[in-house]
Amino acid sequence: MTKPNLTLYLAAPRGFCAGVDRAIKIVEMALEKWGAPVFVRHEIVHNKFVVDGLRDKGAIFVEELSDCPDDRPVIFSAHGVAKVVPAEAERRQMIYVDATCPLVSKVHIEAERHYENGLQIIMIGHAGHPETIGTMGQLPDGEVLLVETVDDVATVDVRDPGKLAFVTQTTLSVDDTKDIVAALQARFPAIVGPHKEDICYATTNRQEAVKAVAGKVEAMLVVGAPNSSNSRRLVEVGAKAGCAYAQLVQRADNIDWRALDGISSVAITAGASAPEVLVTEVIDAFRARFNVTVEQVETAVERVNFKVPRVLRDVETEN
């Protein structure tokens, strides 16, 4: 039986960003330096395949510092943690390594600077997301207020409308965030914004690549985890950019083939915490069912690289 023809458009950039790459490397280097087990507070990045791979090497993933023994190293995830977490680790005299993405740390520093200047901060982000919890936890209770939508802006209760600043989670939809920022500026004309966009380069680049490819295809698959904020935003961006069917898949075996019946063009991208091996797996699944032509649609080239913390650089030198 002849396979139907299908064009696969690969969006680029896609997949791992520099912050995710660094966080995974930190766990691997910690295991090399201290041996197993190494404890990791929260999933190091939001991807089951990555987490399972590190678990197989000897990492133990926990949700709280209280789940860790005093005598083994602990790593804080790429999403960042509230200040009380490293403070508690120091009190317990634990060895800890902070794998917070440097672009998230930049937002933390920004929030502290605004606080020192006497400003109350409004954070645009998703309630319950570890990055939001970590950023809000840099300052005392009540100093950072959370808004998730344009509607939230109308009801947020601030201390002084003339002394406000805003920061954002790094993995939001660029377009949705613009609308929320505009609403904040309309209600609080004196509000101070970041010098440079808080939404990280990788989130922005992946969303731009999705917009470039969405109009060319009948369907789009985003390889990523359901708890990955940036992956879920890619699905939303694809749908808003005109793609009739945009879906998140963790692995090739999550693909709903019935929904793709009769189509001739599909776009594939991956969230910033999804490894390229999973994209390859998805492409191979299409090759098994279709006569596939692959086209790359590249909108940016990324050359960002972040150093690992100093405590692990001796391992890097040995390698």
Side-chain angles (χ1 to χ4, degrees), residues 208-222:
E208 288 303 315
V210 161
K211 288 176 191 175
V213 80
K216 299 176 185 285
V217 296
E218 296 158 88
M220 176 179 294
L221 298 183
V222 177

Side-chain angles (χ1 to χ4, degrees), residues 49-70:
F49 180 86
V50 171
V51 168
D52 287 348
L54 292 171
R55 190 181 282 118
D56 290 344
K57 293 177 182 178
I60 296 175
F61 292 87
V62 297
E63 281 307 306
E64 298 299 339
L65 206 58
S66 56
D67 300 323
C68 304
D70 292 346

Side-chain angles (χ1 to χ4, degrees), residues 121-128 132 136 145-158 164 169 172 176 179-185 187-188 191:
I121 293 122
I122 294 176
M123 179 170 190
I124 305 169
H126 295 297
T132 300
M136 294 181 75
L145 307 173
L146 182 66
V147 298
E148 296 189 79
T149 64
V150 168
D151 289 344
D152 290 344
V153 174
T155 57
V156 67
D157 186 14
V158 303
L164 289 174
Q169 190 177 321
L172 302 177
D176 290 350
D179 293 341
I180 299 170
V181 169
L184 282 171
Q185 290 169 334
R187 186 175 170 202
F188 308 114
I191 197 165

Side-chain angles (χ1 to χ4, degrees), residues 41-42 46 63-64 77 79-86 100 104 107-108 111 123-141 144-146 148 167-171:
R41 186 188 178 278
H42 194 68
H46 284 157
E63 281 307 306
E64 298 299 339
S77 82
H79 312 96
V81 293
K83 272 194 171 172
V84 294
V85 178
T100 301
V104 174
V107 179
H108 292 181
M123 179 170 190
I124 305 169
H126 295 297
H129 189 278
E131 185 186 330
T132 300
I133 294 167
T135 300
M136 294 181 75
Q138 298 305 302
L139 299 175
D141 285 353
V144 187
L145 307 173
L146 182 66
E148 296 189 79
V167 297
T168 81
Q169 190 177 321
T170 61
T171 55

Side-chain angles (χ1 to χ4, degrees), residues 22-35 38 54 75 308-309 311-317 319:
R22 172 180 178 269
I24 294 166
K25 199 185 291 182
I26 284 171
V27 179
E28 291 172 339
M29 291 169 77
L31 285 163
E32 198 173 329
K33 177 166 181 159
W34 291 298
V38 164
L54 292 171
I75 296 164
V308 297
V311 69
L312 292 173
R313 284 189 205 151
D314 54 346
V315 180
E316 199 170 37
T317 307
N319 290 340

Side-chain angles (χ1 to χ4, degrees), residues 14-17 20-21 45 202-203 206 223 228 230-231 234 270-274:
R14 64 180 176 274
F16 279 1
C17 62
V20 164
D21 208 36
V45 298
T203 300
R206 279 149 192 71
V223 180
S228 164
N230 78 86
S231 300
L234 290 175
S273 46

